[in-house]
């Protein structure tokens, strides 16, 4: 691979729990010549998260964390973040709450993608709630993580129109497609300041 001279890559960890389509997409983005993103570690709280296949496929270090005890889990994560000199954490479908203590250690260095137009529809099951409330628009948001769920500073958002015959499934599919465009865009913004 040809390296761009002077391009400082930022060691990043991606945290997942599920399918990992955002992880796959971020890996692809990181492989672009001018991308400052370097995914050095994938963290999963589930040994059978589908997304782990992408860590394997692209030979990225992975760490599966047992979350029976959150304090021990986070300690183990921190050890690994130090080991791989991680400077940025991207949450991508990570289903565990991150403690205040942990956030303090990585203050301003944790970002998340959420499938709604925050501050609306924080938390789980966004699409079904959006449909049930007969909203006209939905979308996705990339935001910094603070100690309140889905409440950190918004980095970037994409709004989409809800179609007449949309249901939670069709909406989720269209929003996810937008997420794959939005997350790299957000990272371009963030990484240029790191
Ligand atoms: C995405 O919709 C993301 O916004 C939400 O969880 C989902 C993860 O999807 N936080 P994937 O695992 O990246 O495919």
């Amino acid at each position: 691979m040809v390296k761009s001279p002077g391009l400082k890559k930022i060691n990043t960890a991606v945290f997942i729990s599920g399918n990992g389509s955002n992880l796959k997409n971020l890996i692809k983005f990181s492989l672009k010549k001018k991308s400052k993103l370097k995914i050095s570690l994938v963290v999963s709280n589930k040994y059978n998260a589908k997304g782990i296949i992408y860590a394997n496929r692209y030979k990225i270090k992975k760490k599966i964390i047992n979350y029976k005890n959150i304090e021990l889990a986070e300690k183990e994560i921190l050890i690994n973040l130090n080991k791989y000199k991680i400077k940025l954490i991207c949450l991508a479908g990570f289903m565990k709450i991150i403690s205040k203590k942990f956030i303090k250690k990585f203050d301003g260095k944790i970002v998340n993608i959420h499938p709604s137009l925050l501050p609306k529809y924080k938390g789980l099951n966004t699409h079904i709630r959006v449909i049930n409330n007969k909203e006209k628009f939905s979308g996705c948001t990339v935001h910094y993580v603070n100690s309140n769920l889905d409440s950190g500073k918004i980095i970037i958002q994409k709004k989409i129109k809800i179609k007449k015959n949309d249901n939670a499934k069709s909406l989720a599919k269209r929003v996810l497609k937008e997420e794959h465009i939005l997350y790299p865009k957000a990272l371009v913004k963030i990484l240029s300041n790191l």
Side-chain angles (χ1 to χ4, degrees), residues 36 44 50 54 57 72 88 100 119-120 139 171 183 191:
K36 284 181 77 181
S44 171
K50 241 179 100 186
Y54 303 115
R57 187 180 297 167
L72 290 180
L88 179 71
K100 269 189 187 159
K120 288 179 119 182
L171 180 61
Y183 217 160
L191 291 165

Side-chain angles (χ1 to χ4, degrees), residues 40-61:
S40 309
L41 180 67
V42 171
V43 171
S44 171
N45 64 304
K46 283 190 170 170
Y47 75 93
N48 58 352
K50 241 179 100 186
I52 293 170
I53 54 168
Y54 303 115
N56 294 336
R57 187 180 297 167
Y58 291 92
K59 300 196 171 24
I60 298 168
K61 294 270 182 298

Side-chain angles (χ1 to χ4, degrees), residues 18-23 92-93 112-115 176 179:
N19 283 338
S21 71
N22 277 290
L23 167 64
N112 180 40
I113 187 151
H114 184 78
L176 193 61
E179 290 182 34

